[in-house]
Amino acid sequence: MTYKVTFILSTAEEAFALFARLLPMEHVSVEQLGKEAGRAKHAQLPPKHAQIPKAQLPAPKRRTSAHPFNPDAGINRIILSHLAKRPHTILELRAPLKANGFSPGSVSSRMVALRKRNLVTPVGNGTWILVEQPSAT
């Protein structure tokens, strides 16, 4: 069988060195091209790091939780029950969470989530209190 392979290399020395190492050849033909012949194909390609206009980029999807927010369960229940007794700092809330098997480091993120839902509010010096909820009567 006979195969035809075409390479575009910048120098003839590279071509002959490559062929001499890889292939035993009987009939080799070499054709010299002009300087711009090898670059014509590359000029049509976009640069590697071409910027895509922002209008073409899809908007990122907002990450949502798989579980609905429930203030009466889990870590939220523990935090709210302790804040119902008296104001606490985040450091003071870590011990009851750890005692119930929750990560003590998750207090801050839970306080942010509870604050977004207007259940707790900071009062100063790192102290948090429970927000008075209007009674549903």
Side-chain angles (χ1 to χ4, degrees):
M1 292 187 162
T2 304
Y3 298 97
K4 181 177 180 179
V5 179
T6 303
F7 289 98
I8 298 177
L9 299 172
S10 60
T11 63
E13 291 85 15
E14 291 177 8
F16 290 123
L18 178 67
F19 291 137
R21 289 178 182 247
L22 298 177
L23 305 169
M25 291 183 226
E26 298 174 8
H27 305 286
V28 177
S29 65
V30 177
E31 178 184 349
Q32 184 175 0
L33 303 174
K35 286 187 176 183
E36 298 300 321
R39 296 182 184 165
K41 284 185 180 179
H42 299 294
Q44 298 168 0
L45 299 175
K48 286 184 179 180
H49 302 291
Q51 293 292 326
I52 299 171
K54 287 189 176 185
Q56 294 178 1
L57 293 175
K61 292 184 179 180
R62 184 172 177 191
R63 185 176 159 205
T64 59
S65 175
H67 305 286
F69 180 79
N70 186 357
D72 299 323
I75 191 170
N76 298 324
R77 180 186 55 79
I78 296 167
I79 291 173
L80 292 176
S81 66
H82 277 75
L83 288 176
K85 297 173 188 171
R86 66 176 182 86
H88 284 281
T89 63
I90 288 179
L91 189 61
E92 294 170 340
L93 291 170
R94 288 183 178 194
L97 291 181
K98 189 172 184 178
N100 285 293
F102 291 100
S103 170
S106 60
V107 177
S108 297
S109 62
R110 286 291 86 208
M111 296 305 277
V112 169
L114 292 168
R115 183 179 185 186
K116 281 183 183 178
R117 289 164 176 86
N118 202 26
L119 295 173
V120 298
T121 186
V123 292
N125 296 333
T127 305
W128 292 77
I129 60 169
L130 196 60
V131 174
E132 292 294 326
Q133 298 297 322
S135 60
T137 55

